[in-house]
Amino acid sequence: MWLDRFSGNNTPSGSPPPSQNRSYSPAPRRSGHLAPGTSVRPSQNSRSSSSQLGVKSNASTTSLNSAKVTHGSTLKQQITPPADVADPLKVLAAVVGKSLPPEGLNNGGAHGDVEFQKPSHLVEDIEFNGLSLKEFALVDRSDEAEDGLNSVTTVQTVEEYEKEKDKFEDLHRSILACDNVLRSVEISLTSFQKDLGAVSAEIETLQARSAALTTRLENRKTVERLLRPVIEDICIAPVVVKTISEGPIDSEWVKALDELEKRSEAIETRINGSETIHAISDVKPLLTDLTSKAVERIRDYFVSQIKSLRSPNINAQIIQQKTFLSYKDLYTFLAKHHSQLADEIAQAYTNTMRWYYLSNFTRYRQALEKISLYTVDKQVALGADQTSHKNNVLPAVKASQISHDALSVGRRMDILRRSNQSALTSYLVEEDKQTHHIEVPFFHFNLALIDNASFEYSFLTTFFPPSASSTLSRKFATIFAPTFTLGHGFTKSFIDISNDCLGILLCVRLNQHFAFELQRRKIPAADPYINGTTMLLWPRFQLVMDMHADSVRRATAALPSPSTSRALALATSATSNNSSSGQQSSAPHMLTQRFGHFLQGILALSAEASDDSEPVGRSLERLRGEVEGFLTKAARAVAAARRERFLANNYSLLLTILGDTPGRLAGEMRAYFEGIRQGVTDG
């Protein structure tokens, strides 16, 4: 292979290889032009040889045509070939491999510039082998052309071979080196093939193992899917066991207890179910022991918290919120698994809170009893003799007023509007040095009691499991019964010695506000205390109102007869600096003014009252009748000419004091006095 390549491209004689594009010539080749010693043409590349061959082929064709004309032969012009015989020029052109020029053109025509070149090799003697020119043109001569080409390229001289010997030796050494390299590559490829075979075997082994593991995994998933619900229901995590047994009681402990409760319920469901699970018999004793341990720890926890409630100066509400309500699920668990122990814990809590409220409110009552209160005795009754005045007639010049008027409500009604005020603490009560009316200690004690009762009732309904309302009411009554008794005793202690009718009525209105607040908070268990307080206040109010009516009756009886009154009036006018005594005799009486302020206070406190069963209306009617009798008798001591004016002035003063006092009772009173005044004026 390499010898042919070398002889075709590196011929030392310079003779070019036969052109592959040269047309095949059927003439036998001459061997004389390749013989040693003959001159050869210069070496040409294949591209130049092809072009020269094409030009020379055309030239050869031209020379043939010109040769025929030169010899003077006129056979072509004289003989017309038959129609079925091919044109010899076309056949020759097909043999040469060139196309003929267009008809009508020759070397001397318009295209005379086309030059036909002679081929480089011409075969003079052509053997047709008995074939016609057309048949000869159709015969494939490629094999003969290749044989001729090989015979030309393989003939070399000895000198040319000697010149190329070194190249052949270098090529041989290169081939040997290539053989060595290829041999090492072959060894490497063989080793790689072996390693690849081993790796392929390992891959097959891994594939087999992977298939086996996949099968085992699918089987395990199937088993896990079937067993997971059962395992999750009956298994208890070790961390849950450790937390319940040793961990501190906090939020994590409550979560562990919830987990234990869920497992207990699941196991009970499995036991009561149709399926028989043998693993439950192994877990059940552990679950029972763990539940007993949880019950024990819950008991110790609540006992310690109940003991802390008995510590001095402790705020029970903070403990109830942080240690009881935050862990109410613990008591629910205890009540479910050990109801007797839960009842004992509840009883211990009830007794402790009973002592707690009683002791604290006892100290609070003692502090409130130290408050300085105004003294309202029988001397301030409506018809009592007022020593501060020298006569029974209202003087023209206003006398100096005392600092306290038990018959005027004034700003005392502000306590009813303190919706957001909190009760005073014991420390602030002890530091208070002011003098107050009886409604102040009543307000603070009962406000504190109502707030604590509301919180305790809310705590009981939240902490303890839902039960019958009677059971809850019994627990609440057990806790607050002595405290309510203490409150009733405290109220009775200061109203029994006080004749402050306005103060007692203020306490009644405050008690009604507390009742409305308890209804809003939905605390029905405190209604007995409110009702008991009401039963203490209303009888005392009626008693004090009767005292005022009796005092007016006594004042009426103490008025002098008409003759004595006229003599007293003459003596008074003689010693008076005022020359007109008639003006004094027609002025309103002092009792009228006191009655007007007292009546205005009662009506103002009853403005929102809508219950006709209250004793306020009947008590006021009785007192009003006594005052009318007093004014009628007092008018008899006045001259007849000024008697009507005296009565009209008194009733006008009452209407002025009542003014715009709101309420149904106030409107009825104004209408009544307006009618009397109108009757006196018309009469």
Side-chain angles (χ1 to χ4, degrees):
M1 176 179 64
W2 57 269
L3 183 59
D4 295 338
R5 183 171 64 252
F6 183 80
S7 62
N9 298 332
N10 298 320
T11 304
S13 61
S15 60
S19 176
Q20 299 296 330
N21 298 325
R22 182 179 63 85
S23 302
Y24 172 77
S25 175
R29 297 178 179 148
R30 296 180 182 179
S31 60
H33 70 281
L34 294 176
T38 60
S39 61
V40 295
R41 292 173 296 169
S43 177
Q44 298 176 353
N45 53 28
S46 60
R47 181 175 298 178
S48 61
S49 299
S50 300
S51 60
Q52 292 176 2
L53 178 60
V55 174
K56 291 179 180 179
S57 177
N58 296 332
S60 176
T61 305
T62 307
S63 63
L64 289 175
N65 296 329
S66 60
K68 292 179 182 180
V69 178
T70 303
H71 291 126
S73 176
T74 60
L75 182 60
K76 184 176 182 179
Q77 289 82 5
Q78 297 176 0
I79 300 174
T80 301
D84 56 348
V85 178
D87 189 358
L89 293 178
K90 294 182 179 180
V91 175
L92 184 59
V95 173
V96 176
K98 296 295 181 177
S99 59
L100 294 175
E103 295 182 0
L105 295 179
N106 51 25
N107 293 337
H111 298 278
D113 55 344
V114 179
E115 180 182 1
F116 296 95
Q117 297 180 0
K118 183 179 181 180
S120 59
H121 298 283
L122 295 177
V123 180
E124 298 178 357
D125 298 329
I126 299 175
E127 183 65 35
F128 288 91
N129 295 325
L131 300 175
S132 64
L133 185 60
K134 181 178 180 180
E135 292 174 351
F136 180 81
L138 297 176
V139 175
D140 186 8
R141 302 294 179 179
S142 59
D143 294 337
E144 295 180 2
E146 291 179 359
D147 293 340
L149 180 62
N150 292 333
S151 63
V152 174
T153 57
T154 56
V155 178
Q156 296 179 355
T157 62
V158 176
E159 292 81 1
E160 292 175 348
Y161 177 79
E162 290 297 333
K163 292 180 182 180
E164 302 294 336
K165 180 179 180 180
D166 294 336
K167 294 182 180 181
F168 292 147
E169 291 178 355
D170 293 339
L171 180 61
H172 180 67
R173 286 192 295 270
S174 300
I175 292 173
L176 293 178
C178 291
D179 290 341
N180 294 331
V181 173
L182 292 175
R183 190 176 297 108
S184 62
V185 172
E186 181 182 6
I187 294 172
S188 300
L189 292 176
T190 303
S191 176
F192 176 73
Q193 184 178 9
K194 293 180 180 180
D195 295 340
L196 188 62
V199 172
S200 177
E202 292 180 0
I203 291 175
E204 292 178 356
T205 303
L206 292 176
Q207 287 178 347
R209 292 180 61 187
S210 176
L213 291 176
T214 302
T215 304
R216 293 174 61 185
L217 179 61
E218 293 296 332
N219 296 335
R220 180 168 296 182
K221 287 182 178 180
T222 303
V223 174
E224 181 181 0
R225 186 168 56 254
L226 297 175
L227 295 181
R228 178 182 296 175
V230 180
I231 294 175
E232 290 181 352
D233 289 343
I234 66 176
C235 288
I236 301 175
V239 65
V240 175
V241 178
K242 185 176 181 180
T243 301
I244 293 177
S245 302
E246 303 175 0
I249 296 180
D250 51 10
S251 59
E252 295 298 328
W253 201 90
V254 175
K255 293 180 181 179
L257 189 66
D258 293 339
E259 188 69 19
L260 176 62
E261 184 66 15
K262 291 179 181 178
R263 295 295 177 267
S264 300
E265 294 177 355
I267 290 177
E268 291 297 331
T269 304
R270 294 287 181 181
I271 292 175
N272 298 329
S274 60
E275 298 180 356
T276 302
I277 301 175
H278 298 285
I280 293 180
S281 59
D282 298 334
V283 178
K284 186 67 175 178
L286 174 62
L287 186 65
T288 302
D289 295 341
L290 190 60
T291 302
S292 301
K293 183 65 177 179
V295 169
E296 179 184 353
R297 296 206 62 191
I298 292 173
R299 179 202 62 189
D300 297 339
Y301 173 78
F302 283 122
V303 168
S304 63
Q305 298 302 322
I306 291 173
K307 287 182 178 179
S308 65
L309 292 173
R310 292 182 174 271
S311 302
N313 300 325
I314 195 69
N315 191 341
Q317 294 183 0
I318 295 178
I319 297 178
Q320 288 173 338
Q321 289 178 345
K322 292 184 177 180
T323 62
F324 282 89
L325 293 179
S326 299
Y327 301 101
K328 65 178 182 179
D329 294 337
L330 275 62
Y331 186 82
T332 304
F333 181 87
L334 182 64
K336 181 178 181 180
H337 294 277
H338 205 303
S339 59
Q340 182 180 358
L341 183 58
D343 294 338
E344 294 176 358
I345 294 294
Q347 187 63 38
Y349 171 81
T350 301
N351 295 334
T352 300
M353 295 307 296
R354 177 189 179 99
W355 168 86
Y356 173 82
Y357 286 117
L358 180 60
S359 60
N360 282 277
F361 275 97
T362 300
R363 289 195 297 269
Y364 192 56
R365 173 183 175 176
Q366 293 172 356
L368 290 174
E369 288 176 347
K370 297 178 182 179
I371 292 180
S372 177
L373 299 178
Y374 288 109
T375 301
V376 182
D377 52 13
K378 294 182 179 181
Q379 298 300 325
V380 297
L382 189 61
D385 184 18
Q386 302 297 315
T387 57
S388 60
H389 298 283
K390 300 300 182 180
N391 49 45
N392 294 332
V393 181
L394 184 65
V397 180
K398 185 180 295 185
S400 61
Q401 298 180 355
I402 59 175
S403 59
H404 164 63
D405 187 2
L407 300 179
S408 179
V409 66
R411 298 178 60 88
R412 296 172 65 179
M413 290 184 60
D414 293 343
I415 196 171
L416 297 175
R417 304 183 181 95
R418 300 175 183 177
S419 58
N420 297 326
Q421 183 178 358
S422 59
L424 294 177
T425 61
S426 299
Y427 174 76
L428 295 177
V429 170
E430 292 174 356
E431 295 294 327
D432 191 2
K433 303 302 181 182
Q434 297 180 358
T435 303
H436 301 279
H437 296 89
I438 60 174
E439 65 269 10
V440 174
F442 177 86
F443 170 77
H444 289 291
F445 183 88
N446 286 276
L447 178 61
L449 183 58
I450 293 303
D451 288 343
N452 282 271
S454 300
F455 182 85
E456 186 63 29
Y457 186 85
S458 177
F459 171 80
L460 293 176
T461 56
T462 304
F463 180 76
F464 293 100
S467 58
S469 58
S470 58
T471 304
L472 184 62
S473 299
R474 283 197 301 269
K475 289 181 181 179
F476 182 84
T478 302
I479 294 174
F480 277 95
T483 307
F484 287 163
T485 303
L486 178 68
H488 290 157
F490 177 65
T491 302
K492 188 176 178 61
S493 64
F494 60 78
I495 66 172
D496 286 347
I497 61 174
S498 176
N499 294 312
D500 187 2
C501 189
L502 293 176
I504 296 173
L505 187 57
L506 276 171
C507 293
V508 171
R509 300 311 180 197
L510 288 172
N511 192 61
Q512 291 175 349
H513 286 186
F514 293 146
F516 295 150
E517 184 65 20
L518 288 174
Q519 292 178 2
R520 186 184 66 84
R521 298 178 184 178
K522 298 180 180 180
I523 313 295
D527 290 343
Y529 174 75
I530 298 297
N531 296 332
T533 304
T534 302
M535 296 302 294
L536 291 175
L537 294 174
W538 278 125
R540 183 60 186 175
F541 173 79
Q542 289 177 315
L543 184 61
V544 176
M545 288 292 289
D546 292 342
M547 181 198 70
H548 285 291
D550 294 340
S551 66
V552 174
R553 188 186 306 111
R554 289 193 297 269
T556 302
L559 287 175
S561 61
S563 59
T564 306
S565 299
R566 284 192 294 269
L568 183 60
L570 291 175
T572 303
S573 62
T575 57
S576 176
N577 295 327
N578 190 355
S579 60
S580 178
S581 60
Q583 294 178 356
Q584 293 182 352
S585 61
S586 62
H589 198 279
M590 180 181 291
L591 187 141
T592 303
Q593 183 180 12
R594 299 183 68 205
F595 172 72
H597 289 294
F598 180 73
L599 180 62
Q600 190 272 335
I602 297 295
L603 294 176
L605 294 175
S606 303
E608 298 179 357
S610 59
D611 190 2
D612 295 335
S613 63
E614 288 187 354
V616 176
R618 294 188 297 272
S619 298
L620 287 179
E621 290 177 0
R622 181 184 176 188
L623 182 60
R624 183 184 63 188
E626 296 295 339
V627 172
E628 289 179 7
F630 176 83
L631 292 178
T632 301
K633 189 175 181 180
R636 295 175 184 174
V638 181
R642 294 181 175 85
R643 188 174 299 171
E644 295 178 357
R645 182 179 180 183
F646 171 79
L647 293 175
N649 289 339
N650 281 273
Y651 288 117
S652 297
L653 177 62
L654 290 176
L655 291 173
T656 302
I657 294 174
L658 293 180
D660 297 331
T661 304
R664 179 179 58 84
L665 288 177
E668 293 177 356
M669 283 292 178
R670 283 195 297 269
Y672 180 80
F673 290 129
E674 183 66 29
I676 294 178
R677 188 186 66 171
Q678 189 69 27
V680 171
T681 304
D682 295 342

